[in-house]
Amino acid sequence: VRSSAASDVYKRQVLNQIRLETAVQLLREGRYKVYEVSNMVGIDNYAYFYQFFKKETGKSPTEYIQNRT
């Protein structure tokens, strides 16, 4: 049972890493609004996406867009 729980945690971590990498790439392109990127990576709750992105990158999605150059 424990290995199953550990496996679930690992899967979540991998999924979140993929979501973050994809979000960074989409925000770099500059073609999409933040809420669109959030939806595109599978996070329908904008507030959660904002917190997740800031926790992982140290910048809010808006700050990231402004400093992407």
Side-chain angles (χ1 to χ4, degrees), residues 6-25:
S7 176
D8 289 346
V9 169
Y10 176 75
K11 288 176 188 175
R12 237 176 312 175
Q13 289 172 336
V14 170
L15 179 60
N16 282 339
Q17 186 61 37
I18 293 168
R19 284 179 167 155
L20 180 64
E21 291 171 4
T22 304
V24 165
Q25 184 178 13

Side-chain angles (χ1 to χ4, degrees), residues 7-52:
S7 176
D8 289 346
V9 169
Y10 176 75
K11 288 176 188 175
R12 237 176 312 175
Q13 289 172 336
V14 170
L15 179 60
N16 282 339
Q17 186 61 37
I18 293 168
R19 284 179 167 155
L20 180 64
E21 291 171 4
T22 304
V24 165
Q25 184 178 13
L26 290 168
L27 290 171
R28 256 192 216 137
E29 290 177 14
R31 298 184 333 182
Y32 306 102
K33 296 184 178 183
V34 176
Y35 76 88
E36 292 173 316
V37 171
S38 174
N39 287 329
M40 292 168 89
V41 299
I43 302 175
D44 295 332
N45 183 324
Y46 174 78
Y48 175 78
F49 175 75
Y50 182 96
Q51 291 174 345
F52 165 74

